[in-house]
């Protein structure tokens, strides 16, 4: 059995299409809906999978609240014992049918699929500094967002000048990478045992959801079970394009051809409201694989 853990905050029609592609008697689906989201139009159904909604967290971009929401998903799902836990965004889509995906993980049983980025990253700014105003980095007023960002960057520079390091007592190799992972039950259980320590460590970090799983894995017994630490998106078996966007929204016929021939298992980012055609074509492709 596999558990799909989905982080969502909008685009309910697209979310239902994702659920339909994950719907399989070998899967259960756990969903976290941002506490700020209006759920009046949310209606999800599945024929084979059980759908579970977890306690809602007010998720703020780049903030430790993202970890809290993920922990809600991991914690609820781990009450059952699944072979794999797949963390997805509500804007993700699988690229293959469930037979293909389950077959892949059967062949790689016990391996952790976590993407690791380059070691050449701003660890001091993101982890060593106390990052101020993180709950407000996506403020609705653009001028407020910009002002808070500039003040935060200025305070970080001051902290670095004064050799501030709020992690000086943590003897860890901090790493970062793609937030979205596929991990084993053992990994999830160990991660949850360290929940309080993790939340304390990253309470002032910048985008810690892209750091805590990688750092935990590389500093633990799971280090030797990581699929690929050199290629970030092969490591997590996901297609993302950061060169054309943040990330790029898949939309064209060429994008569909590329994704259709990919050996990755999932991809993001999609937007059914503005680019429904590529999602509909992926659904048709996957349904053909199912037949």
């Amino acid at each position: 059995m596999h558990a799909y853990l989905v982080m969502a905050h909008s685009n309910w029609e697209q979310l239902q299409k994702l659920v339909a592609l994950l719907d399989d008697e070998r899967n259960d689906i756990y969903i976290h809906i941002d506490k700020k989201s209006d759920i009046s139009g949310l209606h999800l159904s599945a024929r084979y999978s059980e759908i579970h909604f977890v306690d809602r967290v007010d998720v703020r971009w780049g903030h430790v609240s993202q970890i809290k929401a993920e922990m809600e998903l991991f914690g609820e799902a781990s009450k059952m014992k699944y072979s794999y836990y797949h963390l997805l965004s509500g804007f993700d889509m699988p690229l293959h049918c469930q037979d293909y995906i389950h077959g892949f993980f059967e062949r790689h049983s016990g391996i952790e699929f976590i993407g690791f980025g380059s070691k050449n990253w701003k660890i001091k700014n993101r982890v060593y500094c106390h990052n101020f105003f993180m709950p407000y980095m996506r403020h609705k007023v653009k001028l407020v967002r910009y002002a808070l960002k500039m003040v935060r960057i200025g305070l970080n520079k001051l902290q670095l000048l004064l050799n501030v390091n709020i992690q000086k007592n943590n003897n860890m190799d901090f790493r970062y990478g793609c937030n979205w992972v596929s991990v084993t039950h053992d990994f999830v259980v160990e991660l949850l045992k360290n929940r309080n320590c993790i939340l304390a460590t990253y309470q002032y970090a910048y985008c810690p959801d892209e750091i805590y799983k990688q750092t935990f894995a590389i500093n633990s017994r799971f280090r030797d079970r990581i699929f690929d630490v050199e290629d970030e998106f092969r490591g997590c078996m996901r297609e993302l394009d950061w060169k054309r966007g943040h990330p790029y929204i898949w939309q064209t016929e060429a994008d569909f051809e590329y994704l259709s021939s990919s050996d990755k298992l999932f991809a993001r980012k999609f937007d059914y409201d503005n680019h429904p055609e590529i999602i509909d074509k992926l659904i048709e492709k996957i349904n053909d694989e199912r037949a």
Side-chain angles (χ1 to χ4, degrees):
M1 289 286 289
H2 287 201
Y4 281 94
L5 318 179
V6 182
M7 304 271 292
H9 61 82
S10 62
N11 291 44
W12 307 139
E13 183 178 4
Q14 181 172 331
L15 180 60
Q16 174 58 54
K17 292 181 181 296
L18 171 60
V19 166
L21 291 177
L22 304 179
D23 187 14
D24 187 282
E25 61 186 5
R26 296 164 291 184
N27 301 332
D28 286 329
I29 303 169
Y30 294 79
I31 299 176
H32 177 273
I33 304 294
D34 192 325
K35 197 170 185 178
K36 298 186 296 297
S37 298
D38 178 4
I39 60 173
S40 58
L42 176 62
H43 303 287
L44 300 178
S45 62
R47 185 176 179 182
Y48 303 106
S49 300
E50 290 190 13
I51 298 177
H52 306 264
F53 290 92
V54 304
D55 289 345
R56 299 169 66 188
V57 174
D58 180 0
V59 177
R60 303 299 179 101
W61 181 88
H63 183 244
V64 71
S65 55
Q66 180 86 17
I67 298 179
K68 293 177 181 178
E70 292 182 14
M71 289 293 189
E72 288 294 331
L73 286 164
F74 284 128
E76 187 63 27
S78 66
K79 293 176 182 178
M80 299 284 289
K81 186 175 182 179
Y82 297 96
S83 297
Y84 274 93
Y85 299 72
H86 308 287
L87 184 63
L88 302 177
S89 157
F91 295 103
D92 293 3
M93 287 287 156
L95 296 180
H96 302 281
C97 70
Q98 289 301 308
D99 283 344
Y100 183 102
I101 292 172
H102 278 263
F104 176 88
F105 286 103
E106 286 172 7
R107 293 191 301 275
H108 297 86
S109 180
I111 301 299
E112 311 299 342
F113 293 86
I114 304 169
F116 285 78
S118 167
K119 287 189 176 182
N120 183 25
W121 62 296
K122 297 181 178 179
I123 182 174
K124 292 183 178 180
N125 284 305
R126 294 182 66 171
V127 182
Y128 291 0
C129 291
H130 181 137
N131 284 272
F132 292 90
F133 314 122
M134 286 311 302
Y136 311 105
M137 286 296 102
R138 290 293 174 91
H139 195 281
K140 293 180 180 179
V141 179
K142 186 175 182 179
L143 182 61
V144 173
R145 284 203 311 270
Y146 179 78
L148 292 177
K149 177 182 177 181
M150 291 299 101
V151 174
R152 180 182 62 80
I153 291 173
L155 289 172
N156 279 6
K157 289 181 178 179
L158 178 61
Q159 291 177 75
L160 295 176
L161 183 65
L162 297 174
N163 293 318
V164 170
N165 179 4
I166 63 175
Q167 304 295 348
K168 61 184 178 182
N169 294 322
N170 279 331
N171 185 26
M172 291 191 294
D173 177 12
F174 286 96
R175 298 292 300 273
Y176 91 106
C178 179
N179 179 39
W180 315 103
V181 300
S182 295
V183 290
T184 64
H185 181 74
D186 289 349
F187 183 92
V188 170
V189 169
E190 289 295 320
L191 191 73
L192 290 168
K193 286 181 181 177
N194 289 273
R195 175 176 181 160
N196 291 338
C197 180
I198 288 170
L199 292 174
T201 298
Y202 298 103
Q203 61 181 323
Y204 302 120
Y206 177 85
C207 293
D209 54 303
E210 300 174 346
I211 304 171
Y212 85 99
K213 294 182 290 292
Q214 284 77 7
T215 298
F216 173 77
I218 210 71
N219 290 278
S220 73
R221 64 186 178 90
F222 298 99
R223 181 188 187 104
D224 296 331
R225 288 167 46 171
I226 299 168
F227 184 58
D228 189 333
V229 296
E230 302 298 332
D231 185 325
E232 181 177 2
F233 300 119
R234 182 174 182 269
C236 60
M237 290 302 288
R238 283 151 171 84
E239 288 285 1
L240 290 93
D241 184 347
W242 286 97
K243 294 180 179 178
R244 292 184 289 172
H246 297 91
Y248 171 71
I249 297 173
W250 305 103
Q251 55 194 268
T252 68
E253 180 66 27
D255 292 338
F256 172 72
E257 295 300 328
Y258 173 77
L259 294 175
S260 294
S261 62
S262 174
D263 64 351
K264 305 296 193 304
L265 303 178
F266 310 101
R268 74 182 308 264
K269 185 175 184 181
F270 296 91
D271 181 357
Y272 195 76
D273 288 347
N274 295 295
H275 305 288
E277 297 86 1
I278 189 169
I279 293 178
D280 289 337
K281 293 190 75 170
L282 278 173
I283 292 171
E284 182 179 358
K285 168 191 174 291
I286 292 170
N287 285 337
D288 287 344
E289 289 180 357
R290 283 174 166 174

